[in-house]
Amino acid sequence: MDLDLRKLRYFTAVAQHEHFGRAAAQLHIAQPVLSRQIRALEQELGCSLLVRTTRSVRLTPAGRQLYEDAPGVLAAAQAATRRVHGAARADRLVVGFAPGLSVSPAILAFTRTHPDVEIELLHLNWYEKGEALRDGRADVGFLRRPFDEDGIHTVPVGSEPKVVCLPTTHPLASRRRLTLAALDGETILDFHARRTATVEEKLELVAAGRGIALLPRSVARSYSRPDLANRPVTDVPPTEICLAVLEGRRDGHVDDFLTTATHTLSEHRS
């Protein structure tokens, strides 16, 4: 059988923390999702890897063996990915980007000095930002934190404020700006409350009155709709924006693009 590398990384995080909640926080996924992935891994392997208690988890003998083997397996897979994509993409670069972010200024600047390099774009959902770099689908990411940065090199290029998205019929929609205190008692749709696969799905839930959402301002602007209102939240920390590449993945044109994009996008967002 094939060993799912994503599930192996999830298992390693649980084994390190000996706790599902802390591992889920590190991975930036919901705890129920993590639990399902580990159970699926156990089913695929045909053995129990963890002994679960109400407060922690501990490794079974099979789990200890997998935990010892995991670093070598993950490192070998990562190295192979770098070599394969480095050979296949001599004149091609795949740039992944998070919803609402515009990477086009960097692509235009890079194309002026590298006209023979083919640029492909990959739209990334919130739950696959780091994974797209690790599994080789993207060479470079233009992303928002937080995400699982294990094995990933990041370069900050700016930040943006958050807004609260709520139905236009909501009492708070009449205010020009809000604070977190004003949102007390509201159901905020995040990965702890409810996992959504896309921005569109989250906005549909907001419009249906199932809760409200804190979004980066650029996302709210990109997905504006007449039945939803977006209001600034003055005391929420801004969202950090960064460029990201797999550690050691600086072959081919990746390093040149990273240098150009860092300058261009930092300037564009200032």
Side-chain angles (χ1 to χ4, degrees):
M1 60 154 286
D2 296 328
L3 185 61
D4 188 320
L5 295 179
R6 179 183 296 186
K7 293 190 184 78
L8 182 58
R9 284 200 319 105
Y10 288 176
F11 164 76
T12 300
V14 174
Q16 287 173 340
H17 289 283
E18 297 183 337
H19 193 275
F20 275 93
R22 290 191 291 270
Q26 174 196 316
L27 296 165
H28 300 289
I29 63 174
Q31 185 173 332
V33 175
L34 178 59
S35 297
R36 288 196 296 271
Q37 293 294 307
I38 298 302
R39 290 194 183 279
L41 178 61
E42 290 177 318
Q43 291 173 359
E44 291 167 7
L45 292 174
C47 60
S48 296
L49 301 172
L50 303 168
V51 177
R52 298 156 174 82
T53 69
T54 55
R55 296 192 176 187
S56 64
V57 295
R58 57 185 175 85
L59 296 171
T60 65
R64 281 195 298 273
Q65 185 62 59
L66 183 60
Y67 185 48
E68 291 175 7
D69 292 338
V73 173
L74 293 171
Q78 192 175 89
T81 297
R82 287 199 300 267
R83 292 192 296 270
V84 169
H85 288 93
R89 292 176 179 166
D91 294 309
R92 183 166 63 98
L93 199 67
V94 180
V95 180
F97 64 98
L101 291 181
S102 175
V103 74
S104 56
I107 292 172
L108 289 170
F110 180 77
T111 301
R112 283 195 290 269
T113 56
H114 298 74
D116 297 329
V117 178
E118 179 186 356
I119 301 290
E120 294 183 12
L121 294 176
L122 178 65
H123 181 271
L124 300 174
N125 287 310
W126 67 267
Y127 54 86
E128 60 178 355
K129 291 181 286 189
E131 292 297 334
L133 295 169
R134 274 185 287 266
D135 65 21
R137 283 179 293 146
D139 299 303
V140 183
F142 185 33
L143 311 174
R144 296 185 188 87
R145 287 189 166 105
F147 59 92
D148 180 12
E149 299 184 27
D150 182 39
I152 293 174
H153 170 70
T154 61
V155 180
V157 292
S159 63
E160 65 175 320
K162 285 187 176 181
V163 300
V164 62
C165 177
L166 62 169
T168 54
T169 55
H170 196 288
L172 293 177
S174 62
R175 301 191 191 181
R176 294 185 62 184
R177 57 182 56 86
L178 298 165
T179 63
L180 282 175
L183 306 181
D184 280 349
E186 300 286 341
T187 298
I188 298 179
L189 299 174
D190 59 13
F191 69 85
H192 295 295
R194 179 164 185 168
R195 185 181 190 272
T196 52
T198 64
V199 175
E200 292 90 344
E201 182 182 340
K202 180 175 287 189
L203 295 183
E204 280 297 309
L205 290 170
V206 173
R210 304 298 296 275
I212 63 177
L214 286 170
L215 300 173
R217 185 173 60 189
S218 61
V219 173
R221 287 176 173 175
S222 298
Y223 292 86
S224 63
R225 42 190 285 179
D227 54 346
L228 297 178
N230 301 308
R231 299 291 180 262
V233 184
T234 58
D235 54 351
V236 172
T239 300
E240 296 180 5
I241 300 170
C242 66
L243 290 162
V245 296
L246 201 63
E247 287 181 356
R249 178 74 171 91
R250 307 291 287 271
D251 52 304
H253 301 293
V254 170
D255 197 46
D256 288 345
F257 183 86
L258 194 63
T259 300
T260 299
T262 299
H263 173 74
T264 305
L265 295 175
S266 296
E267 188 176 74
H268 185 72
R269 302 196 67 81
S270 61

